[in-house]
Amino acid sequence: MLSKGWRDVRGLPSDLIFGGCPRKAAAMERRAIAIRGTVQGVGFRPFVYGLATKLGLRGFVKNQTSGVWIEVEGESAALDQFLDHLRTRLPPLARIDDLSWQPQEPRGDRQFSIEHSQADAGGAVVICPDVATCDDCLGELNDPKDRRYHYPFLNCTNCGPRLTIVKGAPYDRVRTTMAAFPMCDACRAEYEDPADRRFHAQPVACPACGPSLTLLDEAGKPITGGDPLRRFVDGLNNRKIGAMKGLGGYHLICDARDASLVDELRRRKQRDERPFAIMVGDVEAAGSLCEVGKEERDLLLSPRRPIVLLRKQASCVVAEEVAPGNPFLGVMLPYTPLHHLLLKAVNGIPLVMTSGNRSDEPIAYQDDDALARLNGIADLFLVHNRPIHVRCDDSVTRIIDGQESLVRRSRGYAPEPIRLPFPCSEPILAVGGQLKGTFALGRGDQAFLSHHMGDLDHYEAYRAFQRDIELYQDLFAVKPAWLVHDLHPDYASTRYALARQAKEGLRCIAVQHHYVHMAACLAENGLDEPAIGVSMDGTGYGTDGAIWGGEFLVGDYTQFRRAAHLRYVGLPGGDQAIHEPWRMALSYSLEAGCGPDLLKERVPQAALQAVQRMLERKFNTPQTSSAGRLFDAVASLAGVRDRVAFEGQAAMQLEWLATPRAPGDCYPFELAEPADPSQGSPIVIDTRPLIRAVIRDVERAVQPAVIARRFHSTMVEMVVRVCKRIRDHTKLEVVTLSGGTFMNALLTSEVTSRLQRDGFRVYRHRLVPPNDGGLSLGQVAIAARRAGEHRRK
């Protein structure tokens, strides 16, 4: 909402701003302009300075906590042109969310200047994500005549570190980890020259004054003599495993072609089968290993530089051990000068570039901690003395039907805000879930999502979660009045919210997991209307105390009801069933009236009998409607996977088997509909016929790939048929697809196509992952609506 006298020019076409005709009078005017968006640390003030100078205008521009403030004076026509160019000719990384102005009395300024930043209480600034090295800086990096030739830390206003080095707002060097590096005269001159590409580039540095590299041995002792990077590369060429401090943490690195070396890294890192990411020198190298379409190419080359999931070529030279049994590779290109120098020094060979941690711990980012935790894993450490303030993993993404679908939203994406379909009447903190943790701050019409925090059952991840919440609150000038958390009482994020509520007296609400998935999809697509929410995943605490996961909801941001769900079965052993899909196969088989015969040859008899007794006595066997566990059961019954090294592995292998095959027959299932749908009882999807049919196929020696394809076709038919029944009762045609099950590209693609063919408006995730990494966005949206209603009462 603008104050009286302010004008909002957001979205106005140029002809309306200009008035449509030349002006005869050369009247002098002064305008005060307030801008909010991604306008700090992205070269915005130099852009404003250059634009004002070119148009002969006078005044000043400065950063403030709420964004950028401009006062500009000159002829009215030139001022109109200035406003138009502010909107249409932005620097590459800048984004304007709000631009408003009001007239002021002319002051007779003699020039245009850039003033010092100031803190205020005017609102939240937007900190730009960390950005890959730009082409101008790459040119300098490879120019022997340039003073920054081969300097691993060069950057400018269009690229380089942002979130990972910032300590507070407004974004100035004194509030970054670069404050410890006083600029030399040459860097200072660039920093203070409004015409220079490095004007007010806060991380600016050079070999004379900036950070430097050091090589350490496996015990953390310096290795002197020669270029540290060159000697590090010599170690990699001699089959060493290296640890390198990057932008947001440490990477573990080795030759991705060397199967035995990759196996050794797995052994040391205690990471069984979860795939490693690789880095290659350029997009052509990526294309020699994997299939790279236009959309994948654009993602690889984007300033975000995520890990992109690409299908392997038959001729791929990367060792199978990098991604065992996986038809995809996670591939990224260099995104810092140090990575560019490294890939050039190894002559472009593909390198494993995986998080510097042990097993599933958070990535190491502080030097002492890295040396301690990576001891026994890395043979060499390439480190530098620029501190990382915010741990930030690499982002992971893929293309589904020509559209980006995020797997993990972190470096390059966070903390870029997502616009909400309505404003937050009061500031909100949403703490997400337990796995794939993120948190989010809601202020105004924006949600500021954190980077990926990892699984909060790890103490180090939880400590970072606590600390980074405080940092984000400081950066974005948000003091929450509302806390929102998952319904599950035992999540670390829930306990955090409840402890903070007790300490600070904040309003606190708990929201059901799958409802939040639905709200997240609505919010990122800018929707504010009732919808059918198809929320499918592995685990989520239900309002009835059961474990939900195969849900069809009807609702909006205010309320929801459960319109349909998969039939409950027992989850024997609780979380243990997630690691051993054969348990779900047994549970579904017994529920369907079949015995354990298919499992007897693969599972020890004692274990089978123990779990069968557990199911019969309902001991440590919560009820679940989880779609993820149904995938596990079918994978085990088909002989694809009885045990997994990580959650979702069985379902992923089932998808890979099914993908090459054309759609075929479906397995049977039944819809048990309530006698009177108006009473609110949900449709129950009876999967017992499906399970019996799968078992018959296995007994007839039908190939697992055929079973996998039929099962996927069945799930598609199930979603479509249930959505059509719900539409019959509600007349709703908007459908959201969310939850970790919709990480499955085959399922997502075919469900979307079928629903659209039947007249539904289908929405899926583009800006946040469909998995639990997107929960905090949905929580903010629901809390924003409830806070608004509370305020109106």
Side-chain angles (χ1 to χ4, degrees), residues 582-583 586 604-616:
W582 68 264
R583 291 174 177 247
L586 179 61
Q605 186 68 18
L608 270 177
Q609 290 176 349
V611 171
Q612 186 166 348
R613 286 195 299 271
M614 189 181 295
L615 285 161
E616 290 168 350

Side-chain angles (χ1 to χ4, degrees), residues 206-499:
C206 76
C209 65
S212 58
L213 295 173
T214 301
L215 185 64
L216 308 176
D217 65 17
E218 59 186 351
K221 296 179 179 179
I223 300 174
T224 58
D227 175 34
L229 177 59
R230 182 66 259 173
R231 296 196 64 178
F232 182 73
V233 169
D234 289 342
L236 295 180
N237 289 335
N238 285 310
R239 305 189 73 248
K240 301 286 188 182
I241 294 171
M244 187 177 85
K245 184 179 180 181
L247 194 62
Y250 277 76
H251 280 124
L252 290 167
I253 305 170
C254 71
D255 187 339
R257 304 168 303 173
D258 189 327
S260 62
L261 188 59
V262 175
D263 257 349
E264 177 63 13
L265 174 57
R266 285 196 177 279
R267 186 191 68 78
R268 295 184 189 181
K269 189 176 158 72
Q270 299 172 16
R271 184 171 180 139
D272 294 330
E273 298 176 57
R274 194 185 297 266
F276 290 144
I278 67 166
M279 181 177 281
V280 295
D282 52 42
V283 74
E284 288 72 26
S288 71
L289 303 173
C290 301
E291 298 172 8
V292 180
K294 179 185 181 303
E295 293 86 0
E296 287 89 355
R297 179 186 178 90
D298 290 345
L299 277 176
L300 286 168
L301 292 171
S302 73
R304 302 181 188 277
R305 284 296 198 280
I307 298 169
V308 183
L309 300 183
L310 304 173
R311 185 172 290 276
K312 296 177 188 175
Q313 300 268 26
S315 58
C316 181
V317 299
V318 170
E320 172 66 16
E321 287 74 9
V322 170
N326 194 328
F328 292 89
L329 276 176
V331 182
M332 59 178 157
L333 302 186
Y335 56 85
T336 71
L338 179 56
H339 287 112
H340 281 281
L341 293 171
L342 173 65
L343 268 293
K344 186 176 181 179
V346 298
N347 295 316
I349 66 170
L351 295 175
V352 167
M353 191 73 60
T354 189
S355 299
N357 56 12
R358 192 182 301 272
S359 190
D360 294 322
E361 295 174 350
I363 185 173
Y365 73 105
Q366 295 176 325
D367 298 336
D368 290 345
D369 178 56
L371 290 171
R373 285 207 282 138
L374 303 183
N375 180 264
I377 302 178
D379 302 311
L380 292 169
F381 291 81
L382 185 63
V383 303
H384 59 75
N385 57 342
R386 182 179 71 198
I388 298 169
H389 190 68
V390 179
R391 173 198 285 124
C392 201
D393 280 282
D394 297 312
S395 294
V396 184
T397 191
R398 71 186 303 183
I399 295 294
I400 300 178
D401 290 343
Q403 178 177 300
E404 182 176 10
S405 180
L406 280 160
V407 178
R408 183 169 73 198
R409 184 182 188 270
S410 202
R411 176 190 52 77
Y413 294 79
E416 189 173 70
I418 294 172
R419 184 179 288 270
L420 298 167
F422 42 79
C424 305
S425 60
E426 295 181 273
I428 295 165
L429 168 62
V431 297
Q434 180 78 355
L435 306 180
K436 304 172 182 65
T438 64
F439 60 84
L441 297 172
R443 178 167 183 167
D445 63 353
Q446 293 182 319
F448 299 91
L449 265 68
S450 77
H451 49 290
H452 170 77
M453 303 300 303
D455 296 348
L456 298 187
D457 45 9
H458 290 285
Y459 178 63
E460 286 300 319
Y462 181 67
R463 285 183 58 196
F465 171 81
Q466 293 176 296
R467 192 201 67 166
D468 288 351
I469 285 175
E470 297 299 321
L471 174 67
Y472 271 60
Q473 288 181 184
D474 178 42
L475 289 179
F476 301 115
V478 173
K479 184 178 181 181
W482 289 75
L483 286 166
V484 54
H485 60 84
D486 193 273
L487 195 62
H488 200 298
D490 292 329
Y491 280 0
S493 55
T494 298
R495 293 196 296 270
Y496 169 88
L498 294 177

Side-chain angles (χ1 to χ4, degrees), residues 420-665:
L420 298 167
F422 42 79
C424 305
S425 60
E426 295 181 273
I428 295 165
L429 168 62
V431 297
Q434 180 78 355
L435 306 180
K436 304 172 182 65
T438 64
F439 60 84
L441 297 172
R443 178 167 183 167
D445 63 353
Q446 293 182 319
F448 299 91
L449 265 68
S450 77
H451 49 290
H452 170 77
M453 303 300 303
D455 296 348
L456 298 187
D457 45 9
H458 290 285
Y459 178 63
E460 286 300 319
Y462 181 67
R463 285 183 58 196
F465 171 81
Q466 293 176 296
R467 192 201 67 166
D468 288 351
I469 285 175
E470 297 299 321
L471 174 67
Y472 271 60
Q473 288 181 184
D474 178 42
L475 289 179
F476 301 115
V478 173
K479 184 178 181 181
W482 289 75
L483 286 166
V484 54
H485 60 84
D486 193 273
L487 195 62
H488 200 298
D490 292 329
Y491 280 0
S493 55
T494 298
R495 293 196 296 270
Y496 169 88
L498 294 177
R500 191 159 172 188
Q501 177 198 27
K503 181 179 179 182
E504 301 178 28
L506 305 177
R507 299 186 189 95
C508 192
I509 58 174
V511 192
Q512 201 280 324
H513 189 96
H514 300 94
Y515 174 40
V516 169
H517 274 308
M518 172 185 173
C521 193
L522 286 171
E524 75 158 82
N525 284 287
L527 300 174
D528 186 8
E529 58 184 299
I532 300 167
V534 184
S535 297
M536 291 187 167
D537 60 8
T539 301
Y541 194 79
T543 56
D544 59 357
I547 297 172
W548 291 8
E551 311 305 315
F552 295 77
L553 311 177
V554 170
D556 53 23
Y557 299 106
T558 304
Q559 60 185 354
F560 81 97
R561 69 176 178 87
R562 197 182 192 193
H565 63 86
L566 294 178
R567 189 176 190 273
Y568 283 137
V569 297
L571 185 71
D575 286 349
Q576 190 61 31
I578 297 172
H579 305 295
E580 297 180 339
W582 68 264
R583 291 174 177 247
M584 292 311 304
L586 179 61
S587 179
Y588 271 97
S589 296
L590 295 175
E591 188 73 19
C594 304
D597 292 352
L598 290 183
L599 301 170
K600 286 181 176 179
E601 293 184 4
R602 306 195 308 264
V603 180
Q605 186 68 18
L608 270 177
Q609 290 176 349
V611 171
Q612 186 166 348
R613 286 195 299 271
M614 189 181 295
L615 285 161
E616 290 168 350
R617 298 172 184 176
K618 295 182 172 54
F619 173 74
N620 192 21
T621 302
Q623 295 292 289
T624 184
S625 61
S626 167
R629 302 293 77 82
L630 176 58
F631 270 82
D632 285 351
V634 173
S636 177
L637 288 171
V640 174
R641 195 95 202 183
D642 290 325
R643 294 170 178 80
V644 297
F646 55 91
E647 185 183 9
Q649 186 180 20
M652 289 167 61
Q653 290 190 234
L654 208 60
E655 175 193 354
W656 300 334
L657 281 173
T659 298
R661 305 186 70 89
D665 297 336

Side-chain angles (χ1 to χ4, degrees), residues 651-700:
M652 289 167 61
Q653 290 190 234
L654 208 60
E655 175 193 354
W656 300 334
L657 281 173
T659 298
R661 305 186 70 89
D665 297 336
C666 292
Y667 290 122
F669 61 91
E670 296 175 0
L671 301 184
E673 300 194 47
D676 184 1
S678 65
Q679 297 301 310
S681 297
I683 299 168
V684 176
I685 305 160
D686 190 344
T687 55
R688 290 176 296 181
L690 184 162
I691 295 298
R692 287 192 287 265
V694 168
I695 291 173
R696 282 196 299 271
D697 271 357
V698 175
E699 290 172 340
R700 292 199 300 258

